[in-house]
Amino acid sequence: MTDELLLQCRKSQAMVLTLCLIGVLLVSSAEAVVHNLTWEISYQYKYLDCYKKLSVAINGMTPGPEISAAEGDTIIVNVINNLLMENVAIHWHGIRQIGSQWSDGTDGVTQCATMPGDTFTYQFVVDKAGTYMYHSHYGMQREAGLYGMIKVSPRAGESEPFTYDGEHSIVLSDWYHSSPYEQATNLTSIPYQWIGEPQSLLINGRGKYDCANLDATVCNATNPECLRSNFTVSPGLTYRLRIASLTSLSALSFQIEGHNMTVVEADGNYVAPFATQNLYIYSGETYSVLITANQSSSRNYWITTNVVSRKPATPVGSAILNYIPNHSGDDPSTIPPPGPLWNDTESRKAQSASIKAEKDHIQSPPSTSDKTILLLNTQNTFQGRTVWSLNNVSHSLPDTPYLIALKKNWTDVFDQAPAPESYDQGYDIYSVANNTNAISSTSIYRLTFNSTVDVILQNANTMTKNDSETHPWHLHGHDFWVLGYGDDKFNLSTDGQKFNLVNPIMKNTVPLHPYGWTALRFRADNPGVWIFHCHIEPHFLLGMTVLFESGSEMVADPPQQNMGCGKTKSLIMQQPSSVSP
């Protein structure tokens, strides 16, 4: 019922849409459960890969607690910032925040980050079944361990287009021993200092760093915190693995020794099932795969993850698939499978192109778009610093959040000049260009509400010879149709004719492969300001982001708790002390 109402809402005119969406939420809430959570954010010393590191934890946990709910449920999270010296903002990645724009959790966009000692209450509806995640959206704080998984089941009486006997949640992450502050300092220094590859890969927050020749107070290989994660299965049964990548840098391959996987869900959208021995997964993506415990139960099996798309200097991450009742989590006697070659780009592109919508859950995209935005991804320099740019613009966030500035009509908060919608078509994507002419801007893209927008992501060479990096792009507030991928430079007249308008998958995060392009289409039907950015932490820090605004006048006035920075400081004293999310 709710899905049908939502579909009708999205066909409504702008003035009708807000009331329509409120009706959807009221219907949803009448059927739903309210989950009221309290999270205390604190510093904790952790030995996630056996090496002692100061981490950011939720209720003492890194990764944080899993949120489990049903479609239509309301989630309320009271976040208490017990950190001593840094702010907090938490983004609910994949949750579209329809009617709850102020809870998107993006510092500088919808809120001022929560200061030490303060509490922020997020409230939103999980409006679609699927696998999602949450993570810090403040600086590079995510890298310190503030992240976790959101698992949404169908509402009562509804089913998914696949069946299984049990399930496991798997959070993949990379792990640095340096702090986010050290990394940010290196990245923004003159000369630029790259942070290097991560020290470990973690599966559900556990990895194995080589502690040889290190003092036991610094690295302790026997610490129970770094025991391998263990996933139990019973012979003959089928299991759903919900997999989320929360890496700060790395693209990964995921595989299970001796077992095939069938991909059935991506970013909360059902996939036309396909089998694979290894799943490529990029930062910000979630997948569900089905495995059947059909191998010999006389032994256990390796689960491994390895770095792809970058020349790895990080050991393979590992966990154990434990067949019961015969085993108790012992390491398999075999050698862990190494996974695919890191530079097998064709295999990765082929898997991306194979992801289509499940036949009974196809949401057909509009046949044409109202606007096309071409975004050239380049590495540049700005005032002697290395940055990442889109169409020669390295974007930064203002001191006052965008959405608040728009609601208050503060035109001096961000650059009012329109962001560039294209680039010089003569640009050679294969050369090391003299990209010393970048500009820094807080400009945004203003879209007509309810219009259809195409975004073409175009990759190019970095400032290093023969190097084009993989970029996972994430859009807040919306799902988008993935219309296609291609090699070389995008040609609107010819490549546009190849778009998949029949059964494209909808996602919220998608990879842009080296020296190629990725084409997206979305409806600007969720009022507000939404950030679209590379999900690699160093790239986001250095400007690889854009902002889309549409219908912001329909958003409710900002709650007091979202203020406290920039021009909003003076408004706090003018509002009642009670706050609502």
Side-chain angles (χ1 to χ4, degrees):
M1 177 64 177
T2 305
D3 289 341
E4 293 174 1
L5 285 173
L6 183 60
L7 180 60
Q8 292 303 313
C9 282
R10 293 184 182 279
K11 296 178 180 178
S12 303
Q13 297 299 314
M15 294 302 294
V16 179
L17 182 77
T18 301
L19 293 176
C20 193
L21 290 177
I22 290 173
V24 171
L25 295 177
L26 289 174
V27 171
S28 177
S29 63
E31 304 169 347
V33 174
V34 175
H35 304 261
N36 202 321
L37 311 173
T38 297
W39 287 359
E40 296 195 28
I41 313 299
S42 65
Y43 297 115
Q44 301 279 333
Y45 279 112
K46 295 291 184 181
Y47 291 82
L48 301 190
D49 67 345
C50 307
Y51 188 96
K52 182 180 180 181
K53 176 182 174 177
L54 187 64
S55 307
V56 177
I58 301 173
N59 296 344
M61 300 170 60
T62 307
E66 179 176 278
I67 295 176
S68 183
E71 181 180 341
D73 286 0
T74 295
I75 308 296
I76 301 173
V77 187
N78 306 290
V79 175
I80 303 169
N81 183 5
N82 288 335
L83 301 179
L84 302 176
M85 296 183 293
E86 59 184 302
N87 298 344
V88 167
I90 298 179
H91 170 53
W92 315 95
H93 183 119
I95 306 301
R96 294 176 291 183
Q97 302 296 350
I98 297 172
S100 54
Q101 291 87 346
W102 296 112
S103 284
D104 191 49
T106 45
D107 173 47
V109 181
T110 58
Q111 72 166 88
C112 299
T114 306
M115 295 186 293
D118 286 350
T119 298
F120 192 102
T121 299
Y122 296 94
Q123 181 170 332
F124 54 89
V125 173
V126 286
D127 66 311
K128 187 172 62 168
T131 307
Y132 309 101
M133 63 177 76
Y134 64 83
H135 58 78
S136 171
H137 221 291
Y138 177 75
M140 294 180 66
Q141 193 178 66
R142 169 161 58 96
E143 188 273 332
L146 205 171
Y147 49 72
M149 182 173 282
I150 303 173
K151 183 175 69 175
V152 183
S153 59
R155 65 180 73 251
E158 297 185 3
S159 60
E160 296 170 298
F162 48 85
T163 59
Y164 51 95
D165 302 298
E167 67 176 60
H168 293 288
S169 298
I170 299 177
V171 174
L172 305 177
S173 51
D174 47 15
W175 197 240
Y176 285 87
H177 294 166
S178 57
S179 73
Y181 292 108
E182 292 175 285
Q183 294 186 29
T185 300
N186 287 337
L187 291 167
T188 57
S189 64
I190 302 176
Y192 169 78
Q193 298 177 51
W194 176 237
I195 60 175
E197 301 301 306
Q199 278 67 60
S200 297
L201 298 180
L202 308 181
I203 300 179
N204 280 6
R206 295 184 175 187
K208 284 289 184 182
Y209 184 70
D210 185 0
C211 291
N213 302 319
L214 293 174
D215 190 275
T217 61
V218 175
C219 192
N220 183 359
T222 63
N223 192 299
E225 278 193 1
C226 59
L227 293 175
R228 287 188 178 89
S229 296
N230 198 298
F231 303 91
T232 58
V233 295
S234 294
L237 299 186
T238 296
Y239 292 83
R240 177 183 189 171
L241 305 183
R242 297 179 183 260
I243 307 169
S245 175
L246 280 143
T247 57
S248 59
L249 172 68
S250 307
L252 300 174
S253 174
F254 175 86
Q255 49 274 322
I256 303 174
E257 180 189 12
H259 295 72
N260 285 333
M261 297 176 283
T262 299
V263 181
V264 294
E265 180 226 341
D267 293 355
N269 296 282
Y270 298 128
V271 171
F274 68 92
T276 184
Q277 290 187 329
N278 64 276
L279 175 71
Y280 293 116
I281 183 168
Y282 305 89
S283 178
E285 287 190 315
T286 63
Y287 286 97
S288 286
V289 302
L290 301 181
I291 67 164
T292 299
N294 56 8
Q295 299 301 300
S296 170
S297 61
S298 64
R299 51 164 293 202
N300 289 336
Y301 297 84
W302 288 109
I303 299 174
T304 58
T305 185
N306 61 286
V307 172
V308 294
S309 89
R310 302 180 63 86
K311 188 173 183 179
T314 309
V316 171
S318 60
I320 299 169
L321 186 71
N322 181 29
Y323 270 71
I324 57 173
N326 299 325
H327 291 273
S328 58
D330 296 333
D331 284 0
S333 58
T334 55
I335 298 173
L341 295 175
W342 70 271
N343 56 355
D344 184 2
T345 307
E346 294 305 314
S347 175
R348 292 190 286 114
K349 291 190 294 187
Q351 188 168 103
S352 292
S354 69
I355 302 174
K356 311 295 184 186
E358 198 273 335
K359 61 182 177 61
D360 294 326
H361 293 83
I362 295 173
Q363 300 180 54
S364 299
S367 58
T368 59
S369 66
D370 302 302
K371 178 189 287 290
T372 298
I373 299 174
L374 304 175
L375 294 176
L376 177 67
N377 292 231
T378 58
Q379 194 178 42
N380 296 53
T381 59
F382 172 71
Q383 295 181 346
R385 289 181 167 83
T386 298
V387 296
W388 284 91
S389 299
L390 289 311
N391 296 348
N392 208 40
V393 177
S394 180
H395 287 263
S396 57
L397 301 178
D399 294 333
T400 303
Y402 284 102
L403 190 53
I404 296 177
L406 286 163
K407 294 301 297 180
K408 299 297 180 182
N409 198 28
W410 291 335
T411 59
D412 59 340
V413 165
F414 61 90
D415 187 352
Q416 298 296 306
E421 297 183 359
S422 187
Y423 60 92
D424 178 5
Q425 295 300 294
Y427 190 95
D428 182 1
I429 66 170
Y430 292 98
S431 70
V432 180
N434 181 23
N435 288 341
T436 57
N437 57 342
I439 64 171
S440 179
S441 176
T442 55
S443 60
I444 64 176
Y445 291 91
R446 294 181 184 260
L447 308 176
T448 300
F449 184 75
N450 232 13
S451 63
T452 300
V453 181
D454 283 357
V455 177
I456 313 299
L457 296 164
Q458 176 66 62
N459 215 340
N461 206 91
T462 68
M463 296 180 72
T464 302
K465 187 177 181 180
N466 298 323
D467 176 56
S468 181
E469 298 195 8
T470 301
H471 301 288
W473 277 89
H474 171 58
L475 177 60
H476 292 217
H478 305 76
D479 282 355
F480 49 71
W481 289 275
V482 183
L483 300 185
Y485 304 85
D487 296 326
D488 307 315
K489 188 183 293 185
F490 179 80
N491 185 303
L492 185 60
S493 61
T494 57
D495 290 325
Q497 301 301 313
K498 305 173 187 175
F499 287 167
N500 176 17
L501 302 179
V502 177
N503 60 347
I505 189 65
M506 296 191 80
K507 294 181 96 269
N508 61 63
T509 306
V510 68
L512 173 62
H513 295 292
Y515 300 114
W517 55 264
T518 300
L520 319 174
R521 178 169 293 176
F522 72 96
R523 290 286 297 275
D525 56 3
N526 193 3
V529 181
W530 305 103
I531 194 167
F532 180 48
H533 63 96
C534 178
H535 212 257
I536 292 175
E537 289 276 68
H539 295 181
F540 175 59
L541 176 76
L542 297 176
M544 206 167 196
T545 183
V546 297
L547 284 301
F548 296 127
E549 182 276 335
S550 67
S552 56
E553 69 278 2
M554 291 185 281
V555 179
D557 288 337
Q560 181 178 349
Q561 67 169 358
N562 289 60
M563 302 181 187
C565 59
K567 293 187 68 171
T568 69
K569 292 179 182 177
S570 62
L571 297 180
I572 294 179
M573 302 303 296
Q574 303 173 20
Q575 298 196 24
S577 57
S578 60
V579 298
S580 60

